[in-house]
Amino acid sequence: MAPLDIFAWIVLVVLVVSTVVVIAFMGSLPGVIARKRNHPWAEAVTVGGWVTLFLGFVLWPVVLIWAYVDVPANPRGGSAA
């Protein structure tokens, strides 16, 4: 193998590893944010982040916004349901 071939393989491995790291970070980001903010549906936000990331990425920003939006408390003090 020529030195240029070895360099090409190193670049390919670095690109693959960095792609996997970015996908893992983006998939877990909405869930981490929701858990830090004590979101009432943090588990659903986590699942939504992973599902939308792997099924087209179109609704991933919506899930990220959902991680920041909390349900307002009921002003009468009763349960919401």
Side-chain angles (χ1 to χ4, degrees), residues 2-80:
L4 194 56
D5 290 336
I6 295 171
F7 177 72
W9 278 106
I10 291 171
V11 168
L12 180 65
V13 168
V14 167
L15 286 174
V16 168
V17 168
S18 63
T19 301
V20 169
V21 168
V22 167
I23 288 173
F25 175 74
M26 290 181 69
S28 64
L29 183 64
V32 169
I33 292 170
R35 273 186 246 109
K36 279 186 181 179
R37 295 176 53 87
N38 294 323
H39 197 283
W41 297 302
E43 191 65 31
V45 172
T46 303
V47 171
W50 284 105
V51 169
T52 59
L53 187 66
F54 286 116
L55 295 179
F57 191 73
V58 176
L59 294 176
W60 185 84
V62 174
V63 175
L64 186 62
I65 293 169
W66 185 24
Y68 281 103
V69 176
D70 292 334
V71 177
N74 191 350
R76 289 181 265 161
S79 65

